[in-house]
Structures are given as structure tokens and as C-alpha cells.
Amino acid sequence: MKLYRFLTGEDDSAFCHKVSEALGKGWSLYGHPTYAYDAANGVMRCGQAVTKEAPGDYTPDMKLGQQ
């Protein structure tokens, strides 16, 4: 099965670490990153989709970050 996650966060090192951790666990970048201004909180936000091939069947109760 192919799994999909969309990682988001403020434009800071924590977001970069989140993406790096996913890559280290075998996830692959999917598409281009996004970057937008969050006016309500006055910060820039980043987003990056990642995908991963995994054995078994998908179920909605899966913890994708633990795959």
C-alpha cells in the first residue's frame, strides 16, 4: 500500500526536523513544499507532502507517523 502524510508547521527548524525525521523513516517527498502566511498568528507556515510504500492494508486507525 502507499501511505500519504501532509506535514505542516511554522517556518522554523522544528519543521525541518519533522521532514528530516520522516525521510529518515523511509518516507519520500511528494510534490513541492508550500509556504503561506498565517495572519491569525503572524507567522509563516510550511507544508510538505510525503509518501511511503508499506506492507499490509490501509486502515483509518493507523498512526501514520509511526509507520
Side-chain angles (χ1 to χ4, degrees), residues 1 15 22 31 58:
M1 84 180 126
F15 176 75
Y58 171 78

Side-chain angles (χ1 to χ4, degrees), residues 8-9 14 16 21 24 26-28 32 36 38 41 45 56 63-64 67:
T8 61
C16 296
E21 179 182 25
W27 292 82
S28 298
H32 298 288
D38 176 353
N41 294 297
R45 300 246 180 229
K63 302 288 185 202
L64 295 175
Q67 301 301 311

Side-chain angles (χ1 to χ4, degrees), residues 37-59:
Y37 183 67
D38 176 353
N41 294 297
V43 296
M44 294 301 291
R45 300 246 180 229
C46 300
Q48 175 64 58
V50 292
T51 60
K52 181 178 184 180
E53 290 291 337
D57 296 319
Y58 171 78
T59 61

